Amino acid sequence: MAGREGASRRAEVRGAEWERELLGLLRPGGQRVRQVVAWLADAVDGTACLHDGSGAVLAGTSLDSGPFEELFDDMVAGRIASAAWEGPGRHLRLVRVPASAGVLTVSRAVPFDRRASEIVTHTVQVLDVLLRAHESTVAVHRLERATSDLRLAILQLLMVEDTVAARRVAAGLWPGLLDTDTACVYVVESRPEERDGLAEECLDATGEQALVVRCPARDEHVIVVTPREAVAGALRSLIGPRPRVFLGGSARQSLARTATAYGQAVSALAVAHFRPDKAAVYAERTHPERLMAPDALRAWTLRVLGPLAGLPHHTHTELLATTRLGLEFTAVSAAKVLGVSRNTVRARMERVEALLGTDFSDLAARAVVHLALNTQESLAHGEDDRAPAPADLGELLTGPAMRAWAHDLLARLDADTRDLRRTLRTWIAAGGNAERAAQTLGVHAQTVREHVRAAEPVLERQLLAGGGDLYEVVLAHLAAGDLDQPALRGVKQGEPDSLVHR
């Protein structure tokens, strides 16, 4: 009697052991499906294999299904839940796993006793839980990816000024988010490997009050578009405790000027790197176009961009939006932001070059066209039906206010004994190419880059990255007479279409 009681207690202990082991595989950070199937084979002293509904092996050692193929098909179809099969030296248990609509097959050389049968039954339950959890995780990831892609699509529509379509797309998931005339754009920068986590925190901090997008062009940037003033404070609270996270914000702009606001935010981000609080908002500093006679600037802009006016509306909008971004950023970055290929960006900008009769490899030409595009954008959102008066670029650049601003800005460089002003002027004339500028100056290319980089905090403008800050400095050189005016002829009416559609 005592011997039977001892054997019973040992069996209970062994039972408790395998139950604890199996439950341990369900704990967070525990083993996955493959490890559970491997554990099962070891626990019953046999082999185990988990098949999905198509018969493919998900885990374990594949078995010859010939003898029980019909049973397998009936189980996958849901006609039976479990089955047993016996042959010479082979004993099988087949159990349907609901989560995968598959079958767990366990093989032993000896018949299944009560303990082995219980282990198989409980293991199926564990596998079902793990597989359902996996399916839920996959579904969540798919939904998150789809939502992320949708946010990017909305941003791309805003970038090309298609606010109607952007509102329509956003209304389904974020009702009211874009029911506004104006918004601000913020760019949050972190290490690339930290961006996904930061993007999730931005989503949590802003709730449904902002469009949060992982920048398609820069792996370290998160773009936030919002009409709500409170979002700025929420974003600032995120960057405080982090050593390598920075925030740049735009001035408030109309939704149609989202691309302009994005450029401002990137410009402010460069300034944020020098701020102790690691945040900066685009400064409403004195911009050169505000120092030019308004009527003359308007007339010059309409004349310069006149060759684009006769294009179909869709083409006109597409070319302007692409050129604005292409002048602010590289073709590759502009392409990623717009969701097109870089060859498409280059082809569109080449078409604009042909229409305007200019060369975008010339920084002065880029700066002048950038001025015209910004002015045209202001005109588009503030209609003025007055007939334009004749004007040319020279008149715009040589006004007293413009010249005084240019001399004051460039004079900041004179205090540096390295003659930063000469290096910067030569670098601009060389199209921003450090090697060509170095040959002209008789120095090393790295010296040119260091001088240009040193000029950035002095001028409070980002230069090496290109874009609006650089173009303001180029216009200052033009106004001061330090650079020659660029060729900008335009295409006259009646000129062959072959030039326009090259």
Side-chain angles (χ1 to χ4, degrees):
M1 180 71 71
R4 286 198 297 272
E5 290 177 353
S8 176
R9 282 195 297 272
R10 286 194 296 272
E12 290 177 1
V13 170
R14 288 196 299 270
E17 287 177 352
W18 72 256
E19 288 174 351
R20 282 195 296 270
E21 290 177 4
L22 184 56
L23 288 174
L25 299 179
L26 271 175
R27 293 173 182 169
Q31 304 298 319
R32 302 299 180 185
V33 170
R34 291 181 183 275
Q35 285 71 27
V36 172
V37 173
W39 174 89
L40 171 62
D42 183 65
V44 299
D45 193 21
T47 58
C49 184
L50 177 64
H51 298 265
D52 65 12
S54 67
V57 175
L58 295 178
T61 305
S62 180
L63 305 175
D64 177 17
S65 61
F68 51 92
E69 187 170 346
E70 291 184 6
L71 285 176
F72 185 90
D73 293 340
D74 286 339
M75 297 182 74
V76 168
R79 288 187 285 270
I80 56 178
S82 63
W85 182 92
E86 295 182 3
R90 190 179 190 188
H91 299 265
L92 300 177
R93 286 288 188 275
L94 293 84
V95 185
R96 188 172 187 269
V97 182
S100 64
V103 176
L104 175 67
T105 304
V106 186
S107 173
R108 296 183 77 193
V110 297
F112 282 78
D113 55 16
R114 179 179 175 182
R115 176 180 178 274
S117 298
E118 288 182 349
I119 290 175
V120 171
T121 300
H122 284 81
T123 301
V124 168
Q125 295 171 353
V126 169
L127 288 172
D128 190 61
V129 171
L130 289 176
L131 289 169
R132 290 184 188 278
H134 176 70
E135 289 176 358
S136 298
T137 301
V138 170
V140 169
H141 288 166
R142 286 175 180 166
L143 180 60
E144 290 176 346
R145 178 61 184 270
T147 306
S148 178
D149 290 345
L150 187 58
R151 292 191 188 99
L152 175 58
I154 295 169
L155 176 66
Q156 290 169 340
L157 288 170
L158 291 174
M159 287 290 191
V160 296
E161 302 182 20
D162 195 347
T163 56
V164 174
R167 287 190 177 105
R168 187 180 299 121
V169 175
L173 287 179
W174 303 283
L177 174 62
L178 298 182
D179 292 346
T180 178
D181 294 328
T182 62
C184 293
V185 175
Y186 297 91
V187 177
V188 190
E189 179 181 295
S190 67
R191 295 184 179 91
E193 62 272 18
E194 298 173 353
R195 184 179 70 165
D196 285 347
L198 183 62
E200 292 301 320
E201 291 190 46
C202 288
L203 285 168
D204 292 339
T206 58
E208 300 297 317
Q209 299 182 341
L211 179 69
V212 179
V213 181
R214 292 168 176 81
C215 180
R218 299 286 298 273
D219 291 339
E220 64 272 27
H221 286 180
V222 176
I223 302 170
V224 180
V225 182
T226 179
R228 311 291 197 275
E229 297 287 350
V231 166
L235 294 176
R236 284 178 180 271
S237 68
L238 292 180
I239 69 172
R242 293 174 170 83
R244 277 289 307 162
V245 179
F246 304 92
L247 174 67
S250 74
R252 183 166 287 274
Q253 300 285 354
S254 68
L255 278 184
R257 300 188 69 179
T258 299
T260 298
Y262 173 54
Q264 291 181 350
V266 173
S267 178
L269 186 63
V271 177
H273 281 257
F274 302 101
R275 295 280 182 85
D277 60 353
K278 300 175 295 179
V281 175
Y282 186 74
E284 283 298 333
R285 61 194 179 216
T286 302
H287 298 289
E289 61 268 26
R290 297 180 182 177
L291 302 174
M292 301 176 185
D295 290 345
L297 178 59
R298 172 175 172 268
W300 172 81
T301 297
L302 293 175
R303 183 165 59 84
V304 168
L305 300 181
L308 299 173
L311 297 172
H313 176 73
H314 175 74
T315 304
H316 180 265
T317 301
E318 187 176 74
L319 291 180
L320 288 183
T322 302
T323 303
R324 285 193 184 101
L325 283 176
L327 292 177
E328 287 284 353
F329 308 102
T330 66
V332 173
S333 295
K336 290 179 179 178
V337 171
L338 291 171
V340 299
S341 71
R342 60 184 177 183
N343 289 335
T344 298
V345 171
R346 290 182 177 127
R348 291 175 184 174
M349 294 189 69
E350 286 174 2
R351 186 174 180 186
V352 172
E353 281 181 300
L355 286 166
L356 303 185
T358 193
D359 179 6
F360 284 156
S361 65
D362 180 0
L363 277 180
R366 293 173 72 91
V368 169
V369 172
H370 185 265
L371 170 65
L373 289 174
N374 281 351
T375 305
Q376 186 271 346
E377 193 174 37
S378 299
L379 291 174
H381 298 94
E383 299 298 331
D384 189 342
D385 296 328
R386 292 175 298 173
D392 59 37
L393 181 61
E395 294 174 359
L396 296 175
L397 295 175
T398 56
M402 184 68 184
R403 291 183 69 87
W405 167 81
H407 285 295
D408 288 344
L409 178 65
L410 298 180
R412 301 180 191 177
L413 301 171
D414 294 339
D416 197 297
T417 57
R418 292 172 291 181
D419 202 352
L420 299 183
R421 184 166 179 172
R422 175 171 174 259
T423 302
L424 183 57
R425 178 177 65 248
T426 307
W427 178 74
I428 292 173
N433 186 290
E435 285 73 17
R436 289 205 301 269
Q439 290 177 357
T440 301
L441 294 169
V443 297
H444 195 277
Q446 186 59 31
T447 301
V448 173
R449 296 187 188 95
E450 289 173 358
H451 284 196
V452 175
R453 191 174 291 111
E456 290 183 328
V458 177
L459 298 176
E460 297 180 337
R461 284 162 175 82
Q462 194 175 21
L463 303 176
L464 287 170
D469 281 7
L470 173 59
Y471 300 145
E472 287 189 5
V473 175
V474 173
L475 290 177
H477 281 83
L478 290 171
D482 292 349
L483 291 174
D484 294 331
Q485 292 184 22
L488 194 66
R489 300 180 305 278
V491 178
K492 297 179 181 179
Q493 295 295 325
E495 199 154 354
D497 286 346
S498 59
L499 177 60
V500 177
H501 301 286
R502 68 176 185 177

